[in-house]
Amino acid sequence: MIELVRTNDAVVISFVEALMRDAGIACMVADQNMSVMDGSLGILPRRILVDSEQADEARRILADAGIAHEIRDA
């Protein structure tokens, strides 16, 4: 799996998850439970991971949705 997005913006995370779900691309949000460490302040970013074989398609979907600036460099 590769890191597609890293953010602490819950709206972006939800949006990316919905886009991936609609496209049939499995994704995983890593570091969700790190809020215990930061006192639930949302300081620590969460990572959205996708299978490396679907990474190009996932990047294209995010670009088409207008959030290409959120994509982590490969």
Side-chain angles (χ1 to χ4, degrees), residues 7-19:
T7 184
N8 56 359
D9 186 331
V11 174
V12 170
I13 292 169
S14 294
F15 186 46
V16 172
E17 285 182 301
L19 290 170

Side-chain angles (χ1 to χ4, degrees):
M1 297 198 86
I2 62 118
E3 182 178 335
L4 183 63
V5 173
R6 181 183 297 188
T7 184
N8 56 359
D9 186 331
V11 174
V12 170
I13 292 169
S14 294
F15 186 46
V16 172
E17 285 182 301
L19 290 170
M20 296 301 107
R21 183 174 44 252
D22 290 349
I25 297 175
C27 70
M28 179 182 95
V29 179
D31 307 322
Q32 288 187 103
N33 297 321
M34 291 303 290
S35 64
V36 172
M37 301 295 287
D38 72 10
S40 298
L41 297 174
I43 296 170
L44 299 174
R46 278 65 168 171
R47 297 173 296 140
I48 299 177
L49 309 173
V50 296
D51 188 86
S52 58
E53 294 176 1
Q54 296 180 306
D56 289 338
E57 182 180 359
R59 287 186 186 101
R60 182 187 53 75
I61 290 167
L62 295 186
D64 289 348
I67 57 170
H69 62 280
E70 295 287 350
I71 300 171
R72 296 290 287 189
D73 293 330

